[in-house]
């Protein structure tokens, strides 16, 4: 992604794994924006933000930093860092009933490895490798030439 690249990210489905304590939301629909800030040699960096419906059926707002390598290849690997809201200690079941989880984070930091496939239109997948982790997908479209 050249430094001037601008991307619209469409958040979508996820799959949770680990103990089945909760009926996690696997439909994490949302939208985000990403702006390339640097491309050098084998690395590209971007900053972004967005909103989505999280795994606990709460609305999450996030800011992100993305580093991927190598920038010119159709398949790239990278690291995604997020500061995200919406994980405040409550979980909503499919009927909308609120369940107290016994913790409260106003802002949660998350770092995940990921893979990106494509150029103008990309499919991205990221995984949170934890006991109660998930794999999530995202469609990302470069809109920099449209403005």
């Amino acid at each position: 992604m050249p430094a001037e690249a601008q991307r619209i990210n469409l958040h979508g489905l996820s799959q949770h794994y680990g103990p089945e304590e909760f009926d996690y939301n696997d439909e994490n629909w949302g939208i985000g924006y990403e702006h390339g800030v640097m491309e050098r040699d084998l690395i590209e960096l971007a900053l972004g933000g967005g909103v989505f419906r999280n795994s606990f059926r709460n609305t999450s707002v996030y800011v992100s930093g993305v580093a991927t390598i190598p920038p010119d290849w159709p398949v790239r690997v990278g690291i995604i860092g997020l500061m995200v809201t919406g994980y405040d200690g409550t979980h909503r079941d499919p009927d909308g009933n609120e369940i107290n989880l016994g913790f409260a984070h106003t802002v949660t930091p998350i770092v995940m490895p990921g893979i990106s496939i494509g150029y103008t239109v990309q499919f991205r997948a990221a995984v949170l490798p934890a006991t109660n982790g998930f794999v999530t997908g995202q469609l990302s479209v470069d809109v920099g030439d449209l403005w």
Side-chain angles (χ1 to χ4, degrees):
M1 170 186 306
E4 66 277 358
Q6 300 171 54
R7 304 190 77 80
I8 298 294
N9 300 324
L10 304 174
H11 305 285
L13 303 175
S14 63
Q15 179 62 51
H16 294 80
Y17 56 88
E20 297 298 325
E21 297 177 46
F22 305 108
D23 183 10
Y24 289 106
N25 175 31
D26 287 332
E27 297 179 8
N28 306 119
W29 304 111
I31 191 165
Y33 172 80
E34 194 173 292
H35 189 88
V37 294
M38 183 191 84
E39 182 179 330
R40 289 213 177 103
D41 301 324
L42 291 178
I43 191 167
E44 60 186 9
L45 300 176
L47 298 175
V51 62
F52 65 97
R53 183 80 162 172
N54 72 26
S55 304
F56 294 162
R57 293 179 180 81
N58 296 323
T59 299
S60 284
V61 176
Y62 68 91
V63 294
S64 64
V66 181
T68 55
I69 59 170
D72 300 355
W73 292 17
V75 177
R76 295 174 297 286
V77 295
I79 296 290
I80 303 159
L82 301 170
M83 293 299 286
V84 62
T85 66
Y87 297 94
D88 61 358
T90 58
H91 172 84
R92 287 177 180 75
D93 67 19
D95 297 324
N97 300 313
E98 195 170 281
I99 302 165
N100 187 334
L101 301 177
F103 67 86
H105 301 287
T106 304
V107 177
T108 304
I110 299 174
V111 177
M112 301 181 294
I115 187 168
S116 180
I117 302 169
Y119 287 112
T120 302
V121 176
Q122 296 178 356
F123 172 75
R124 296 175 171 181
V127 62
L128 182 62
T131 305
N132 292 318
F134 61 88
V135 177
T136 187
Q138 181 183 88
L139 187 65
S140 181
V141 180
D142 187 348
V143 295
D145 294 333
L146 298 178
W147 326 109

